[in-house]
Short mmCIF file of all heavy atoms in Angstrom, two decimals:
data_model
loop_
_atom_site.label_atom_id
_atom_site.label_comp_id
_atom_site.label_asym_id
_atom_site.label_seq_id
_atom_site.Cartn_x
_atom_site.Cartn_y
_atom_site.Cartn_z
N MET T 1 17.50 17.16 10.42
CA MET T 1 16.71 16.23 9.62
C MET T 1 15.98 17.04 8.54
O MET T 1 15.43 18.09 8.81
CB MET T 1 15.73 15.49 10.52
CG MET T 1 14.91 14.50 9.75
SD MET T 1 13.81 13.39 10.68
CE MET T 1 13.84 13.91 12.33
N THR T 2 15.94 16.49 7.35
CA THR T 2 15.30 17.19 6.24
C THR T 2 13.78 16.95 6.25
O THR T 2 13.31 15.91 6.66
CB THR T 2 15.90 16.73 4.90
OG1 THR T 2 15.27 17.46 3.86
CG2 THR T 2 15.70 15.25 4.66
N GLN T 3 13.04 17.95 5.80
CA GLN T 3 11.59 17.86 5.73
C GLN T 3 11.12 17.69 4.30
O GLN T 3 9.94 17.78 4.01
CB GLN T 3 10.96 19.13 6.34
CG GLN T 3 11.31 19.35 7.79
CD GLN T 3 10.75 18.25 8.70
OE1 GLN T 3 9.69 17.70 8.45
NE2 GLN T 3 11.48 17.92 9.74
N GLU T 4 12.06 17.47 3.38
CA GLU T 4 11.73 17.35 1.97
C GLU T 4 11.66 15.89 1.54
O GLU T 4 12.29 15.03 2.12
CB GLU T 4 12.77 18.08 1.12
CG GLU T 4 12.79 19.57 1.35
CD GLU T 4 13.84 20.25 0.49
OE1 GLU T 4 14.23 19.70 -0.54
OE2 GLU T 4 14.25 21.35 0.86
N ARG T 5 10.90 15.67 0.48
CA ARG T 5 10.80 14.34 -0.12
C ARG T 5 12.09 14.05 -0.88
O ARG T 5 12.51 14.84 -1.73
CB ARG T 5 9.60 14.33 -1.06
CG ARG T 5 9.39 13.05 -1.78
CD ARG T 5 8.09 13.12 -2.55
NE ARG T 5 8.04 12.12 -3.59
CZ ARG T 5 6.94 11.58 -4.07
NH1 ARG T 5 5.77 12.00 -3.62
NH2 ARG T 5 6.99 10.68 -5.01
N ILE T 6 12.72 12.92 -0.57
CA ILE T 6 13.96 12.51 -1.21
C ILE T 6 13.65 11.30 -2.09
O ILE T 6 13.26 10.24 -1.58
CB ILE T 6 15.04 12.15 -0.17
CG1 ILE T 6 15.31 13.35 0.75
CG2 ILE T 6 16.30 11.67 -0.84
CD1 ILE T 6 16.10 13.00 1.99
N GLU T 7 13.81 11.47 -3.39
CA GLU T 7 13.53 10.38 -4.32
C GLU T 7 14.55 9.26 -4.15
O GLU T 7 15.72 9.51 -3.92
CB GLU T 7 13.56 10.89 -5.76
CG GLU T 7 12.50 11.94 -6.05
CD GLU T 7 11.08 11.48 -5.87
OE1 GLU T 7 10.76 10.30 -6.19
OE2 GLU T 7 10.25 12.28 -5.39
N ARG T 8 14.08 8.01 -4.26
CA ARG T 8 14.93 6.83 -4.18
C ARG T 8 14.69 5.98 -5.42
O ARG T 8 13.69 6.16 -6.11
CB ARG T 8 14.60 6.04 -2.91
CG ARG T 8 14.91 6.84 -1.65
CD ARG T 8 14.37 6.15 -0.41
NE ARG T 8 14.83 4.78 -0.27
CZ ARG T 8 15.58 4.32 0.72
NH1 ARG T 8 15.98 5.13 1.67
NH2 ARG T 8 15.93 3.07 0.78
N ASP T 9 15.59 5.05 -5.69
CA ASP T 9 15.51 4.22 -6.89
C ASP T 9 14.87 2.87 -6.55
O ASP T 9 15.53 1.96 -6.05
CB ASP T 9 16.90 4.02 -7.49
CG ASP T 9 16.88 3.24 -8.78
OD1 ASP T 9 15.77 2.93 -9.30
OD2 ASP T 9 17.97 2.93 -9.30
N PHE T 10 13.58 2.75 -6.85
CA PHE T 10 12.85 1.51 -6.59
C PHE T 10 13.46 0.33 -7.35
O PHE T 10 13.51 -0.78 -6.85
CB PHE T 10 11.37 1.69 -6.98
CG PHE T 10 10.53 0.48 -6.75
CD1 PHE T 10 10.18 0.09 -5.47
CD2 PHE T 10 10.06 -0.27 -7.81
CE1 PHE T 10 9.39 -1.04 -5.24
CE2 PHE T 10 9.26 -1.39 -7.60
CZ PHE T 10 8.93 -1.77 -6.32
N THR T 11 13.96 0.59 -8.55
CA THR T 11 14.53 -0.49 -9.37
C THR T 11 15.86 -1.00 -8.83
O THR T 11 16.35 -2.02 -9.30
CB THR T 11 14.69 -0.04 -10.84
OG1 THR T 11 15.60 1.07 -10.89
CG2 THR T 11 13.36 0.35 -11.44
N ALA T 12 16.44 -0.32 -7.84
CA ALA T 12 17.67 -0.79 -7.23
C ALA T 12 17.40 -1.99 -6.30
O ALA T 12 18.32 -2.71 -5.93
CB ALA T 12 18.35 0.33 -6.44
N ARG T 13 16.15 -2.20 -5.97
CA ARG T 13 15.77 -3.35 -5.14
C ARG T 13 15.81 -4.62 -5.98
O ARG T 13 15.68 -4.57 -7.19
CB ARG T 13 14.36 -3.17 -4.58
CG ARG T 13 14.24 -2.00 -3.63
CD ARG T 13 12.84 -1.90 -3.05
NE ARG T 13 12.80 -0.86 -2.04
CZ ARG T 13 13.19 -1.02 -0.79
NH1 ARG T 13 13.64 -2.18 -0.39
NH2 ARG T 13 13.13 -0.02 0.06
N SER T 14 15.93 -5.75 -5.32
CA SER T 14 15.92 -7.03 -6.05
C SER T 14 14.55 -7.23 -6.70
O SER T 14 13.54 -6.67 -6.25
CB SER T 14 16.21 -8.19 -5.09
OG SER T 14 15.10 -8.40 -4.23
N GLU T 15 14.51 -8.05 -7.75
CA GLU T 15 13.24 -8.35 -8.44
C GLU T 15 12.22 -8.93 -7.45
O GLU T 15 11.04 -8.60 -7.52
CB GLU T 15 13.47 -9.33 -9.59
CG GLU T 15 14.07 -8.69 -10.82
CD GLU T 15 13.09 -7.74 -11.51
OE1 GLU T 15 11.88 -8.04 -11.58
OE2 GLU T 15 13.56 -6.69 -11.98
N GLU T 16 12.69 -9.77 -6.56
CA GLU T 16 11.81 -10.40 -5.58
C GLU T 16 11.17 -9.35 -4.66
O GLU T 16 9.97 -9.39 -4.40
CB GLU T 16 12.62 -11.41 -4.76
CG GLU T 16 11.79 -12.23 -3.80
CD GLU T 16 12.64 -13.26 -3.09
OE1 GLU T 16 12.81 -14.36 -3.64
OE2 GLU T 16 13.11 -12.95 -1.98
N GLU T 17 11.99 -8.42 -4.17
CA GLU T 17 11.47 -7.34 -3.32
C GLU T 17 10.49 -6.46 -4.08
O GLU T 17 9.42 -6.12 -3.55
CB GLU T 17 12.62 -6.45 -2.81
CG GLU T 17 13.14 -6.78 -1.47
CD GLU T 17 14.08 -5.71 -0.96
OE1 GLU T 17 14.92 -5.21 -1.73
OE2 GLU T 17 13.96 -5.37 0.22
N GLN T 18 10.85 -6.10 -5.29
CA GLN T 18 9.96 -5.26 -6.10
C GLN T 18 8.59 -5.92 -6.26
O GLN T 18 7.56 -5.29 -6.05
CB GLN T 18 10.57 -4.99 -7.48
CG GLN T 18 11.74 -4.04 -7.47
CD GLN T 18 12.27 -3.80 -8.87
OE1 GLN T 18 11.50 -3.57 -9.80
NE2 GLN T 18 13.58 -3.88 -9.02
N GLN T 19 8.59 -7.20 -6.64
CA GLN T 19 7.33 -7.92 -6.84
C GLN T 19 6.51 -7.97 -5.56
O GLN T 19 5.29 -7.78 -5.60
CB GLN T 19 7.59 -9.33 -7.36
CG GLN T 19 7.84 -9.39 -8.84
CD GLN T 19 6.75 -8.72 -9.65
OE1 GLN T 19 7.00 -7.73 -10.31
NE2 GLN T 19 5.54 -9.22 -9.61
N ALA T 20 7.15 -8.22 -4.44
CA ALA T 20 6.43 -8.28 -3.16
C ALA T 20 5.76 -6.94 -2.86
O ALA T 20 4.58 -6.90 -2.49
CB ALA T 20 7.39 -8.66 -2.04
N PHE T 21 6.48 -5.83 -3.04
CA PHE T 21 5.91 -4.51 -2.75
C PHE T 21 4.81 -4.15 -3.75
O PHE T 21 3.84 -3.47 -3.40
CB PHE T 21 6.99 -3.43 -2.75
CG PHE T 21 7.90 -3.51 -1.55
CD1 PHE T 21 9.28 -3.48 -1.71
CD2 PHE T 21 7.40 -3.61 -0.26
CE1 PHE T 21 10.13 -3.54 -0.62
CE2 PHE T 21 8.24 -3.68 0.84
CZ PHE T 21 9.61 -3.65 0.66
N LEU T 22 4.93 -4.60 -4.98
CA LEU T 22 3.92 -4.29 -6.00
C LEU T 22 2.65 -5.13 -5.83
O LEU T 22 1.58 -4.70 -6.23
CB LEU T 22 4.50 -4.51 -7.41
CG LEU T 22 5.60 -3.54 -7.83
CD1 LEU T 22 6.14 -3.91 -9.19
CD2 LEU T 22 5.10 -2.10 -7.82
N GLU T 23 2.79 -6.30 -5.24
CA GLU T 23 1.63 -7.19 -5.09
C GLU T 23 0.93 -7.04 -3.74
O GLU T 23 -0.28 -7.16 -3.65
CB GLU T 23 2.08 -8.65 -5.27
CG GLU T 23 2.52 -8.95 -6.68
CD GLU T 23 3.18 -10.32 -6.82
OE1 GLU T 23 3.28 -11.05 -5.81
OE2 GLU T 23 3.60 -10.65 -7.93
N GLN T 24 1.69 -6.77 -2.68
CA GLN T 24 1.13 -6.71 -1.33
C GLN T 24 0.74 -5.28 -1.00
O GLN T 24 1.52 -4.52 -0.42
CB GLN T 24 2.14 -7.26 -0.33
CG GLN T 24 2.48 -8.70 -0.60
CD GLN T 24 3.68 -9.20 0.18
OE1 GLN T 24 4.13 -8.58 1.13
NE2 GLN T 24 4.21 -10.33 -0.24
N THR T 25 -0.48 -4.93 -1.39
CA THR T 25 -0.93 -3.54 -1.28
C THR T 25 -2.28 -3.46 -0.57
O THR T 25 -2.96 -4.47 -0.38
CB THR T 25 -1.10 -2.92 -2.68
OG1 THR T 25 -2.09 -3.67 -3.39
CG2 THR T 25 0.20 -2.92 -3.45
N TRP T 26 -2.67 -2.24 -0.23
CA TRP T 26 -4.01 -1.96 0.29
C TRP T 26 -4.52 -0.72 -0.44
O TRP T 26 -3.83 0.30 -0.52
CB TRP T 26 -3.99 -1.69 1.79
CG TRP T 26 -5.31 -1.16 2.27
CD1 TRP T 26 -5.62 0.14 2.54
CD2 TRP T 26 -6.50 -1.91 2.50
NE1 TRP T 26 -6.93 0.24 2.93
CE2 TRP T 26 -7.50 -1.02 2.91
CE3 TRP T 26 -6.82 -3.26 2.38
CZ2 TRP T 26 -8.80 -1.42 3.21
CZ3 TRP T 26 -8.11 -3.66 2.68
CH2 TRP T 26 -9.08 -2.75 3.11
N CYS T 27 -5.73 -0.81 -0.99
CA CYS T 27 -6.34 0.33 -1.67
C CYS T 27 -7.47 0.88 -0.81
O CYS T 27 -8.43 0.15 -0.52
CB CYS T 27 -6.87 -0.07 -3.05
SG CYS T 27 -7.69 1.30 -3.91
N ASP T 28 -7.35 2.13 -0.40
CA ASP T 28 -8.41 2.76 0.40
C ASP T 28 -9.69 2.91 -0.40
O ASP T 28 -10.79 2.81 0.15
CB ASP T 28 -7.96 4.14 0.90
CG ASP T 28 -6.93 4.04 2.02
OD1 ASP T 28 -6.92 3.03 2.75
OD2 ASP T 28 -6.12 4.98 2.16
N GLN T 29 -9.59 3.16 -1.68
CA GLN T 29 -10.77 3.35 -2.53
C GLN T 29 -11.54 2.04 -2.70
O GLN T 29 -12.75 1.99 -2.52
CB GLN T 29 -10.35 3.90 -3.90
CG GLN T 29 -11.50 4.22 -4.83
CD GLN T 29 -12.30 5.42 -4.38
OE1 GLN T 29 -11.77 6.34 -3.75
NE2 GLN T 29 -13.58 5.41 -4.66
N CYS T 30 -10.84 0.98 -3.05
CA CYS T 30 -11.48 -0.34 -3.27
C CYS T 30 -11.77 -1.06 -1.95
O CYS T 30 -12.59 -1.98 -1.92
CB CYS T 30 -10.57 -1.22 -4.13
SG CYS T 30 -10.30 -0.63 -5.81
N GLN T 31 -11.05 -0.66 -0.89
CA GLN T 31 -11.16 -1.32 0.41
C GLN T 31 -10.82 -2.80 0.30
O GLN T 31 -11.49 -3.66 0.86
CB GLN T 31 -12.56 -1.13 1.01
CG GLN T 31 -12.87 0.29 1.39
CD GLN T 31 -12.07 0.76 2.59
OE1 GLN T 31 -12.21 0.22 3.68
NE2 GLN T 31 -11.22 1.76 2.39
N GLU T 32 -9.75 -3.09 -0.47
CA GLU T 32 -9.31 -4.47 -0.65
C GLU T 32 -7.79 -4.55 -0.60
O GLU T 32 -7.10 -3.59 -0.92
CB GLU T 32 -9.80 -5.04 -1.98
CG GLU T 32 -11.28 -5.33 -1.99
CD GLU T 32 -11.71 -6.10 -3.21
OE1 GLU T 32 -11.02 -7.09 -3.55
OE2 GLU T 32 -12.71 -5.71 -3.82
N VAL T 33 -7.33 -5.73 -0.26
CA VAL T 33 -5.90 -5.99 -0.14
C VAL T 33 -5.39 -6.69 -1.40
O VAL T 33 -6.15 -7.39 -2.08
CB VAL T 33 -5.63 -6.83 1.14
CG1 VAL T 33 -6.19 -8.22 1.02
CG2 VAL T 33 -4.17 -6.86 1.48
N ASN T 34 -4.13 -6.48 -1.69
CA ASN T 34 -3.39 -7.20 -2.74
C ASN T 34 -3.98 -7.10 -4.14
O ASN T 34 -3.98 -8.07 -4.90
CB ASN T 34 -3.19 -8.67 -2.35
CG ASN T 34 -2.38 -8.81 -1.08
OD1 ASN T 34 -1.63 -7.91 -0.70
ND2 ASN T 34 -2.54 -9.91 -0.41
N LEU T 35 -4.47 -5.92 -4.51
CA LEU T 35 -4.94 -5.68 -5.87
C LEU T 35 -3.78 -5.36 -6.80
O LEU T 35 -3.91 -5.40 -8.01
CB LEU T 35 -5.96 -4.54 -5.90
CG LEU T 35 -7.24 -4.81 -5.12
CD1 LEU T 35 -8.11 -3.56 -5.10
CD2 LEU T 35 -7.99 -5.99 -5.71
N GLY T 36 -2.65 -5.00 -6.22
CA GLY T 36 -1.47 -4.69 -7.01
C GLY T 36 -1.32 -3.19 -7.24
O GLY T 36 -2.26 -2.42 -7.13
N MET T 37 -0.09 -2.81 -7.57
CA MET T 37 0.28 -1.41 -7.77
C MET T 37 1.06 -1.29 -9.07
O MET T 37 1.87 -2.14 -9.42
CB MET T 37 1.16 -0.96 -6.59
CG MET T 37 1.73 0.42 -6.72
SD MET T 37 3.07 0.79 -5.52
CE MET T 37 2.32 0.46 -3.95
N SER T 38 0.82 -0.20 -9.79
CA SER T 38 1.60 0.12 -10.99
C SER T 38 2.25 1.49 -10.78
O SER T 38 1.89 2.22 -9.86
CB SER T 38 0.71 0.13 -12.23
OG SER T 38 -0.29 1.13 -12.11
N GLN T 39 3.18 1.83 -11.62
CA GLN T 39 3.88 3.12 -11.60
C GLN T 39 4.51 3.43 -10.24
O GLN T 39 4.32 4.50 -9.68
CB GLN T 39 2.93 4.26 -11.99
CG GLN T 39 2.27 4.07 -13.33
CD GLN T 39 1.19 5.10 -13.61
OE1 GLN T 39 0.79 5.86 -12.74
NE2 GLN T 39 0.70 5.09 -14.82
N PRO T 40 5.29 2.49 -9.68
CA PRO T 40 5.85 2.71 -8.35
C PRO T 40 6.91 3.81 -8.32
O PRO T 40 7.72 3.93 -9.24
CB PRO T 40 6.48 1.35 -8.01
CG PRO T 40 6.84 0.79 -9.34
CD PRO T 40 5.75 1.23 -10.27
N GLN T 41 6.86 4.60 -7.28
CA GLN T 41 7.87 5.62 -7.00
C GLN T 41 8.25 5.48 -5.55
O GLN T 41 7.38 5.52 -4.67
CB GLN T 41 7.33 7.03 -7.26
CG GLN T 41 6.97 7.28 -8.70
CD GLN T 41 6.44 8.69 -8.88
OE1 GLN T 41 5.69 9.20 -8.06
NE2 GLN T 41 6.85 9.32 -9.96
N GLU T 42 9.53 5.31 -5.30
CA GLU T 42 10.02 5.17 -3.93
C GLU T 42 10.64 6.48 -3.49
O GLU T 42 11.33 7.14 -4.25
CB GLU T 42 11.05 4.05 -3.85
CG GLU T 42 11.53 3.79 -2.44
CD GLU T 42 12.43 2.57 -2.36
OE1 GLU T 42 12.41 1.72 -3.27
OE2 GLU T 42 13.16 2.47 -1.35
N TYR T 43 10.34 6.87 -2.25
CA TYR T 43 10.92 8.10 -1.71
C TYR T 43 10.99 8.03 -0.19
O TYR T 43 10.38 7.17 0.44
CB TYR T 43 10.11 9.33 -2.15
CG TYR T 43 8.67 9.35 -1.67
CD1 TYR T 43 8.32 9.97 -0.47
CD2 TYR T 43 7.66 8.77 -2.41
CE1 TYR T 43 7.01 10.00 -0.04
CE2 TYR T 43 6.35 8.79 -1.99
CZ TYR T 43 6.02 9.41 -0.81
OH TYR T 43 4.72 9.43 -0.37
N GLU T 44 11.77 8.94 0.35
CA GLU T 44 11.92 9.07 1.80
C GLU T 44 11.39 10.44 2.19
O GLU T 44 11.66 11.44 1.53
CB GLU T 44 13.39 8.94 2.18
CG GLU T 44 13.65 8.97 3.65
CD GLU T 44 15.12 8.73 3.99
OE1 GLU T 44 15.83 8.10 3.17
OE2 GLU T 44 15.55 9.18 5.06
N PHE T 45 10.61 10.47 3.26
CA PHE T 45 10.07 11.72 3.78
C PHE T 45 10.09 11.66 5.30
O PHE T 45 9.52 10.72 5.88
CB PHE T 45 8.65 11.95 3.26
CG PHE T 45 8.05 13.26 3.67
CD1 PHE T 45 8.51 14.45 3.14
CD2 PHE T 45 7.04 13.30 4.61
CE1 PHE T 45 7.96 15.66 3.53
CE2 PHE T 45 6.49 14.50 5.00
CZ PHE T 45 6.95 15.69 4.46
N LYS T 46 10.76 12.63 5.91
CA LYS T 46 10.88 12.67 7.38
C LYS T 46 11.42 11.34 7.92
O LYS T 46 10.89 10.77 8.87
CB LYS T 46 9.56 13.03 8.03
CG LYS T 46 9.08 14.42 7.71
CD LYS T 46 7.84 14.78 8.46
CE LYS T 46 7.41 16.20 8.13
NZ LYS T 46 6.20 16.59 8.86
N ALA T 47 12.45 10.81 7.26
CA ALA T 47 13.17 9.60 7.66
C ALA T 47 12.33 8.33 7.55
O ALA T 47 12.68 7.30 8.11
CB ALA T 47 13.74 9.75 9.07
N VAL T 48 11.22 8.38 6.82
CA VAL T 48 10.40 7.19 6.58
C VAL T 48 10.39 6.93 5.07
O VAL T 48 10.27 7.85 4.27
CB VAL T 48 8.95 7.41 7.08
CG1 VAL T 48 8.08 6.20 6.79
CG2 VAL T 48 8.94 7.72 8.57
N VAL T 49 10.53 5.65 4.70
CA VAL T 49 10.55 5.28 3.29
C VAL T 49 9.15 4.85 2.85
O VAL T 49 8.47 4.10 3.56
CB VAL T 49 11.56 4.12 3.04
CG1 VAL T 49 11.53 3.69 1.58
CG2 VAL T 49 12.96 4.56 3.44
N TYR T 50 8.73 5.35 1.68
CA TYR T 50 7.41 5.05 1.13
C TYR T 50 7.55 4.57 -0.31
O TYR T 50 8.48 4.93 -1.00
CB TYR T 50 6.54 6.32 1.08
CG TYR T 50 6.26 6.94 2.42
CD1 TYR T 50 7.10 7.92 2.94
CD2 TYR T 50 5.15 6.55 3.16
CE1 TYR T 50 6.83 8.50 4.17
CE2 TYR T 50 4.88 7.14 4.39
CZ TYR T 50 5.72 8.11 4.89
OH TYR T 50 5.46 8.68 6.10
N ILE T 51 6.58 3.76 -0.74
CA ILE T 51 6.42 3.42 -2.14
C ILE T 51 5.00 3.84 -2.52
O ILE T 51 4.03 3.42 -1.88
CB ILE T 51 6.64 1.93 -2.43
CG1 ILE T 51 8.07 1.55 -2.05
CG2 ILE T 51 6.38 1.62 -3.90
CD1 ILE T 51 8.37 0.07 -2.14
N GLU T 52 4.91 4.69 -3.52
CA GLU T 52 3.62 5.22 -3.97
C GLU T 52 3.38 4.78 -5.41
O GLU T 52 4.30 4.74 -6.22
CB GLU T 52 3.68 6.75 -3.91
CG GLU T 52 2.43 7.45 -4.36
CD GLU T 52 2.57 8.95 -4.24
OE1 GLU T 52 2.86 9.45 -3.13
OE2 GLU T 52 2.41 9.63 -5.26
N GLY T 53 2.15 4.42 -5.70
CA GLY T 53 1.81 4.01 -7.05
C GLY T 53 0.32 4.11 -7.28
O GLY T 53 -0.39 4.80 -6.54
N ARG T 54 -0.17 3.40 -8.29
CA ARG T 54 -1.59 3.42 -8.66
C ARG T 54 -2.17 2.02 -8.49
O ARG T 54 -1.56 1.03 -8.88
CB ARG T 54 -1.76 3.85 -10.11
CG ARG T 54 -1.29 5.24 -10.39
CD ARG T 54 -2.40 6.19 -10.13
NE ARG T 54 -1.97 7.58 -10.30
CZ ARG T 54 -2.76 8.59 -10.04
NH1 ARG T 54 -3.99 8.38 -9.62
NH2 ARG T 54 -2.33 9.81 -10.19
N CYS T 55 -3.38 1.96 -7.93
CA CYS T 55 -4.08 0.68 -7.77
C CYS T 55 -4.34 0.08 -9.15
O CYS T 55 -4.80 0.79 -10.07
CB CYS T 55 -5.40 0.92 -7.05
SG CYS T 55 -6.47 -0.55 -6.96
N ASN T 56 -4.05 -1.19 -9.30
CA ASN T 56 -4.27 -1.87 -10.58
C ASN T 56 -5.75 -1.97 -10.95
O ASN T 56 -6.08 -2.11 -12.12
CB ASN T 56 -3.65 -3.26 -10.58
CG ASN T 56 -2.15 -3.22 -10.74
OD1 ASN T 56 -1.58 -2.23 -11.18
ND2 ASN T 56 -1.50 -4.31 -10.38
N ARG T 57 -6.64 -1.90 -9.98
CA ARG T 57 -8.07 -2.01 -10.27
C ARG T 57 -8.69 -0.64 -10.58
O ARG T 57 -9.30 -0.46 -11.62
CB ARG T 57 -8.83 -2.64 -9.12
CG ARG T 57 -10.35 -2.69 -9.44
CD ARG T 57 -11.19 -3.17 -8.31
NE ARG T 57 -11.07 -4.62 -8.19
CZ ARG T 57 -11.52 -5.30 -7.15
NH1 ARG T 57 -12.09 -4.68 -6.14
NH2 ARG T 57 -11.38 -6.60 -7.11
N CYS T 58 -8.56 0.33 -9.67
CA CYS T 58 -9.29 1.60 -9.83
C CYS T 58 -8.42 2.77 -10.24
O CYS T 58 -8.93 3.82 -10.62
CB CYS T 58 -10.05 1.93 -8.55
SG CYS T 58 -8.98 2.47 -7.19
N GLY T 59 -7.10 2.64 -10.13
CA GLY T 59 -6.20 3.71 -10.53
C GLY T 59 -5.94 4.76 -9.47
O GLY T 59 -5.20 5.71 -9.70
N SER T 60 -6.53 4.61 -8.29
CA SER T 60 -6.30 5.56 -7.20
C SER T 60 -4.86 5.46 -6.70
O SER T 60 -4.24 4.41 -6.79
CB SER T 60 -7.24 5.27 -6.02
OG SER T 60 -8.57 5.54 -6.37
N VAL T 61 -4.38 6.55 -6.14
CA VAL T 61 -3.04 6.56 -5.56
C VAL T 61 -3.06 5.72 -4.29
O VAL T 61 -3.94 5.86 -3.45
CB VAL T 61 -2.59 8.00 -5.24
CG1 VAL T 61 -1.28 8.00 -4.47
CG2 VAL T 61 -2.45 8.80 -6.52
N ILE T 62 -2.07 4.82 -4.19
CA ILE T 62 -1.89 4.05 -2.97
C ILE T 62 -0.46 4.25 -2.48
O ILE T 62 0.46 4.41 -3.27
CB ILE T 62 -2.21 2.56 -3.16
CG1 ILE T 62 -1.43 1.94 -4.31
CG2 ILE T 62 -3.68 2.35 -3.36
CD1 ILE T 62 -1.69 0.45 -4.48
N VAL T 63 -0.30 4.28 -1.18
CA VAL T 63 1.00 4.51 -0.57
C VAL T 63 1.29 3.41 0.44
O VAL T 63 0.44 3.11 1.29
CB VAL T 63 1.05 5.89 0.14
CG1 VAL T 63 2.40 6.12 0.80
CG2 VAL T 63 0.76 7.01 -0.84
N THR T 64 2.47 2.83 0.33
CA THR T 64 2.91 1.82 1.29
C THR T 64 4.07 2.41 2.09
O THR T 64 5.04 2.87 1.52
CB THR T 64 3.39 0.55 0.55
OG1 THR T 64 2.32 0.02 -0.21
CG2 THR T 64 3.88 -0.50 1.54
N GLU T 65 3.91 2.43 3.40
CA GLU T 65 4.98 2.87 4.29
C GLU T 65 5.81 1.66 4.67
O GLU T 65 5.28 0.67 5.15
CB GLU T 65 4.38 3.52 5.54
CG GLU T 65 5.43 3.97 6.54
CD GLU T 65 4.79 4.59 7.78
OE1 GLU T 65 3.73 5.21 7.68
OE2 GLU T 65 5.41 4.45 8.86
N LEU T 66 7.10 1.74 4.44
CA LEU T 66 7.98 0.62 4.75
C LEU T 66 8.43 0.72 6.21
O LEU T 66 8.89 1.77 6.64
CB LEU T 66 9.18 0.60 3.82
CG LEU T 66 8.88 0.58 2.33
CD1 LEU T 66 10.15 0.40 1.53
CD2 LEU T 66 7.88 -0.49 1.98
N THR T 67 8.30 -0.39 6.90
CA THR T 67 8.74 -0.44 8.30
C THR T 67 10.01 -1.26 8.38
O THR T 67 10.44 -1.87 7.41
CB THR T 67 7.64 -1.10 9.17
OG1 THR T 67 7.48 -2.45 8.74
CG2 THR T 67 6.32 -0.35 9.07
N ASP T 68 10.60 -1.32 9.56
CA ASP T 68 11.82 -2.11 9.75
C ASP T 68 11.59 -3.57 9.39
O ASP T 68 12.52 -4.25 8.95
CB ASP T 68 12.29 -2.01 11.20
CG ASP T 68 12.85 -0.61 11.53
OD1 ASP T 68 13.22 0.11 10.58
OD2 ASP T 68 12.89 -0.27 12.72
N ASP T 69 10.37 -4.06 9.52
CA ASP T 69 10.05 -5.45 9.18
C ASP T 69 10.20 -5.70 7.67
O ASP T 69 10.38 -6.84 7.24
CB ASP T 69 8.63 -5.81 9.59
CG ASP T 69 8.44 -5.78 11.10
OD1 ASP T 69 9.45 -5.88 11.82
OD2 ASP T 69 7.29 -5.66 11.54
N ASP T 70 10.09 -4.65 6.86
CA ASP T 70 10.15 -4.78 5.41
C ASP T 70 11.57 -4.88 4.89
O ASP T 70 11.78 -5.19 3.72
CB ASP T 70 9.44 -3.61 4.73
CG ASP T 70 7.95 -3.59 5.02
OD1 ASP T 70 7.35 -4.68 5.02
OD2 ASP T 70 7.40 -2.50 5.25
N PHE T 71 12.56 -4.56 5.72
CA PHE T 71 13.95 -4.53 5.23
C PHE T 71 14.68 -5.79 5.56
O PHE T 71 14.47 -6.49 6.44
CB PHE T 71 14.70 -3.33 5.82
CG PHE T 71 14.18 -2.03 5.29
CD1 PHE T 71 13.37 -1.23 6.08
CD2 PHE T 71 14.48 -1.61 4.02
CE1 PHE T 71 12.89 -0.03 5.61
CE2 PHE T 71 14.01 -0.41 3.52
CZ PHE T 71 13.20 0.38 4.32
#
């Protein structure tokens, strides 16, 4: 198993999926849900898929870990 970050293509997802992941977020800085995310980057690390971006309100980095329920 690889220990490196493997970049994935977020835009390969359907528009519906992209919108859901961009809207359904949690910001640790703002301590609020669903503020939205910009600049999404999807990657795999240690066999787990993540989407990382910036909070639409404060600009802090937010990371969403995708679980089997998300697929």
Side-chain angles (χ1 to χ4, degrees):
M1 181 174 7
T2 182
Q3 299 295 327
E4 295 180 23
R5 178 174 161 153
I6 301 167
E7 298 299 323
R8 296 171 54 117
D9 184 6
F10 180 72
T11 62
R13 295 183 174 278
S14 71
E15 282 291 321
E16 186 177 274
E17 264 190 318
Q18 288 181 46
Q19 279 307 115
F21 288 131
L22 293 176
E23 293 171 0
Q24 299 168 15
T25 61
W26 170 259
C27 178
D28 286 333
Q29 184 70 30
C30 296
Q31 293 290 297
E32 287 190 46
V33 68
N34 298 338
L35 297 174
M37 174 194 305
S38 62
Q39 304 172 351
Q41 296 180 320
E42 184 173 341
Y43 62 92
E44 184 176 335
F45 183 71
K46 295 185 179 181
V48 178
V49 177
Y50 298 91
I51 298 174
E52 179 179 304
R54 297 272 176 185
C55 173
N56 284 342
R57 178 186 284 168
C58 72
S60 292
V61 172
I62 54 177
V63 179
T64 300
E65 178 181 328
L66 305 187
T67 64
D68 290 339
D69 294 340
D70 295 320
F71 292 104

